[in-house]
Amino acid sequence: MNNKKTLFFIGLISLLLCNTLNFAHANSLNNKRFDVLNTDLKLPITMNFIDSQYYYVQVLYTKQSQANALDKIQEIQQSIQYPTAIQPFDSGYRLYIGAVKGSDLLHIKKLLRSIGYNDHLLRKANKIKQSLTLKDIVFQQFGKINSKYIILPRYKDGTLALFDQVDTHFICQSINPHATIALESEYGGILSKIDAISAIGLQYRFWLTSNRTVTRVSDNLVMKTAAQGAKYPLICTTKLDS
């Protein structure tokens, strides 16, 4: 009987440790960041490198979904403790390690080979751009509409998070693969709710698509073309069972 109790407690402790490690691992992934590079940012391919310069190592190009691209980045981050980046390109996504110094490239190539990435492209980073960092964003849930959660991205200081045209491709789907920017009909309902008005106000233009914005004026929704290079807040919605 004592042996059975001992085995039971050993098994219980092992299970608790396993769950703790899995929880820690999940948190470590959530705390990692990646940059969203502008579609128009040119990163020319190069065969040579100089230690004083910065580079991006293109690991993969995929035409699969945004969610798949994000999953691949998280997969890489489990083994490679370097910055990562993703760039929309030609209806797909480029996945990078970088930006990194030239002196780190040999080590990075070795790490890539160890996880099955034997082919890569080396691109010179002619400009290091401060991009969106997801760890700086908090997703506030503040109600439901049409059986969906309403999610409002904010900065950690509580102000509405502002995104450029490129960021809109990723920010909602970083919540989960089912999340999208609110539809025109959903914005109409959300921006007429008293609790929404008190939470976000009515003075803002919000992203509706990748090049159009929406705002509420009196009882009407007003759509406008996004100004070049401007940043706006957005509202995401996602299914209740997501």
Side-chain angles (χ1 to χ4, degrees):
M1 182 64 69
N2 288 336
N3 288 338
K4 288 183 179 181
K5 286 184 177 180
T6 301
L7 290 173
F8 172 78
F9 283 116
I10 289 174
L12 181 61
I13 291 169
S14 298
L15 181 61
L16 290 172
L17 285 174
C18 182
N19 287 338
T20 301
L21 290 172
N22 286 339
F23 178 76
H25 178 64
N27 277 344
S28 70
L29 281 182
N30 290 334
N31 290 333
K32 293 202 181 280
R33 69 174 185 85
F34 64 88
D35 288 333
V36 181
L37 301 182
N38 192 299
T39 308
D40 298 325
L41 181 62
K42 304 300 181 186
L43 301 171
I45 297 174
T46 180
M47 299 302 294
N48 300 310
F49 63 88
I50 303 172
D51 284 359
S52 61
Q53 296 193 16
Y54 282 84
Y55 300 85
Y56 285 94
V57 183
Q58 184 177 329
V59 179
L60 182 68
Y61 173 74
T62 177
K63 286 199 171 183
Q64 297 187 40
S65 67
Q66 297 172 21
N68 179 267
L70 294 174
D71 285 345
K72 288 289 184 185
I73 279 289
Q74 284 196 332
E75 202 175 276
I76 291 168
Q77 287 176 333
Q78 292 182 48
S79 302
I80 298 182
Q81 305 301 314
Y82 281 90
T84 52
I86 192 167
Q87 181 183 41
F89 182 80
D90 191 23
S91 73
Y93 307 93
R94 290 171 171 170
L95 276 57
Y96 300 106
I97 305 296
V100 295
K101 293 181 180 180
S103 56
D104 290 332
L105 289 175
L106 291 177
H107 181 56
I108 290 169
K109 291 177 186 178
K110 182 178 178 181
L111 291 174
L112 286 171
R113 285 194 297 270
S114 72
I115 59 173
Y117 290 94
N118 297 316
D119 299 319
H120 65 273
L121 290 175
L122 183 61
R123 295 181 178 273
K124 184 179 293 185
N126 47 22
K127 182 181 179 183
I128 302 298
K129 174 181 176 288
Q130 286 295 327
S131 301
L132 172 70
T133 302
L134 289 178
K135 69 178 182 180
D136 295 331
I137 305 299
V138 175
F139 296 98
Q140 177 196 3
Q141 178 190 327
F142 70 99
K144 302 174 185 176
I145 188 166
N146 300 333
S147 299
K148 293 181 178 180
Y149 287 119
I150 302 169
I151 308 292
L152 185 65
R154 293 186 182 274
Y155 295 122
K156 289 185 177 179
D157 65 4
T159 58
L160 289 184
L162 304 179
F163 308 102
D164 63 24
Q165 193 174 39
V166 174
D167 295 338
T168 61
H169 290 278
F170 294 93
I171 190 63
C172 289
Q173 284 209 331
S174 70
I175 301 170
N176 65 51
H178 304 287
T180 61
I181 297 175
L183 303 174
E184 181 179 333
S185 59
E186 292 171 333
Y187 267 117
I190 293 167
L191 297 182
S192 65
K193 290 175 175 286
I194 297 299
D195 56 345
I197 293 172
S198 62
I200 61 179
L202 293 177
Q203 70 271 34
Y204 293 99
R205 291 168 63 182
F206 294 87
W207 283 110
L208 177 62
T209 66
S210 60
N211 59 7
R212 297 174 70 221
T213 65
V214 59
T215 190
R216 189 174 185 87
V217 179
S218 297
D219 292 330
N220 300 311
L221 289 182
V222 177
M223 268 68 70
K224 293 183 180 180
T225 301
Q228 184 68 31
K231 292 189 174 186
Y232 305 101
L234 57 78
I235 296 176
C236 305
T237 60
T238 186
K239 295 178 182 178
L240 294 179
D241 57 355
S242 298

